[in-house]
Amino acid sequence: METNYNSGYNKGSYNSHYQKDNELVAYSTESERAVFYRKTYTHVALAILAFILVETALLHLVPVELIEAMFGRRFIWLLIIGGFWLGSVMAAKWSHSLNKNTQYLGLGFYVLLESIIFLPLIYMALAYVGTEVLWQAAIITLSLFAGLTAVVFMTRLDFSFLKSVLIIGGFLSLGLIVAGALFGFELGLWFSIGMVVLAAGGILYETYGIKNEYTTDQYVGAALQLFASVMLLFWYVLRILLSRKN
């Protein structure tokens, strides 16, 4: 699965244009912060809902043979990962555009990318285990997300140092994923656990950024970054649960 390529996206150039008319959330009024947080987390929830709807549609429309080929042939999976990486970079850039329509295009495009790359894993879970494991993974993921969010909002801890950790961890995990696909070895349970930790770090970093680095009009871009970390967490939580069922 992909690592969170969007974590650490350089928002500086966007902010330099926007800060003249839109305050940083950290320096805005309490009511402005409340509006920004509500819009951000509403967009995260809508992105998750859209993911569920698109994933359901793909499961009904995409032929089983094509889904099986996605994870059954390693070089096809490498192409999918490469396409996802390029698409996610583009979507992140669009979501931080000055144009609101372009921001929504970026978020919608990223939801579609996640739906495509999740397709073989969701299919495999439904085919061999059933919906129960999906519900378990969803509950665990949302519980961790809520807990990590609470840590950031209820403390004054500085999580900006995680940016370097996420970048290094992201490239390292990507290298391992590519090597595993090329040479046909399983990354195993400990890799999935490590990726859960990395995704948790991404949620902490992005939530800290929401409080301190975004402007009040960047809620779409903020939602995309959080959604990306949540989906990364969900992927590896689901992988861990599936490994226990085998």
Side-chain angles (χ1 to χ4, degrees):
M1 167 55 179
E2 82 283 2
T3 184
N4 188 351
Y5 304 112
N6 295 322
S7 293
Y9 174 80
N10 185 4
K11 301 180 283 289
S13 59
Y14 181 90
N15 285 340
S16 65
H17 293 288
Y18 238 97
Q19 284 175 7
K20 294 179 181 179
D21 300 313
N22 297 275
E23 276 189 298
L24 284 172
V25 175
Y27 301 119
S28 61
T29 65
E30 186 173 340
S31 61
E32 288 172 333
R33 287 197 298 272
V35 170
F36 173 78
Y37 295 148
R38 185 180 72 249
K39 287 182 176 179
T40 297
Y41 285 96
T42 297
H43 280 74
V44 173
L46 290 174
I48 293 173
L49 177 60
F51 167 80
I52 294 171
L53 295 175
V54 174
E55 192 70 39
T56 301
L58 290 177
L59 285 168
H60 285 86
L61 296 174
V62 178
V64 172
E65 295 78 10
L66 181 57
I67 298 176
E68 292 177 345
M70 289 175 68
F71 62 84
R73 301 176 184 177
R74 58 190 181 185
F75 292 110
I76 292 179
W77 187 239
L78 280 177
L79 288 174
I80 292 172
I81 292 174
F84 179 87
W85 182 81
L86 291 173
S88 65
V89 171
M90 186 180 300
K93 183 177 181 180
W94 287 345
S95 73
H96 288 86
S97 168
L98 298 178
N99 183 282
K100 189 62 67 178
N101 290 332
T102 305
Q103 292 177 25
Y104 281 105
L105 175 63
L107 181 58
F109 183 53
Y110 190 78
V111 169
L112 177 60
L113 290 174
E114 287 284 8
S115 301
I116 292 171
I117 204 165
F118 260 89
L119 188 56
L121 184 63
I122 299 294
Y123 167 79
M124 188 164 50
L126 291 173
Y128 298 106
V129 183
T131 58
E132 181 182 354
V133 71
L134 293 177
W135 282 109
Q136 291 173 350
I139 291 170
I140 292 171
T141 299
L142 292 177
S143 298
L144 286 171
F145 176 62
L148 293 166
T149 301
V151 168
V152 178
F153 278 100
M154 296 177 67
T155 68
R156 295 184 177 181
L157 297 176
D158 184 350
F159 292 101
S160 60
F161 72 93
L162 288 173
K163 180 176 181 178
S164 298
V165 176
L166 292 171
I167 292 173
I168 295 171
F171 279 108
L172 178 61
S173 60
L174 177 61
L176 289 172
I177 291 169
V178 172
L182 283 174
F183 301 108
F185 61 84
E186 289 290 332
L187 294 173
L189 177 62
W190 286 107
F191 178 80
S192 294
I193 293 173
M195 292 303 295
V196 166
V197 173
L198 187 69
I203 292 171
L204 289 173
Y205 174 76
E206 294 301 340
T207 307
Y208 177 82
I210 284 174
K211 287 182 62 180
N212 298 281
E213 297 176 2
Y214 282 86
T215 62
T216 53
D217 201 47
Q218 287 183 291
Y219 49 86
V220 178
L224 185 149
Q225 302 290 354
L226 278 177
F227 175 69
S229 294
V230 169
M231 296 310 294
L232 181 68
L233 181 60
F234 178 61
W235 175 281
Y236 283 102
V237 168
L238 182 55
R239 283 283 299 267
I240 291 171
L241 292 179
L242 286 174
S243 69
R244 294 181 61 189
K245 297 291 184 180
N246 294 333

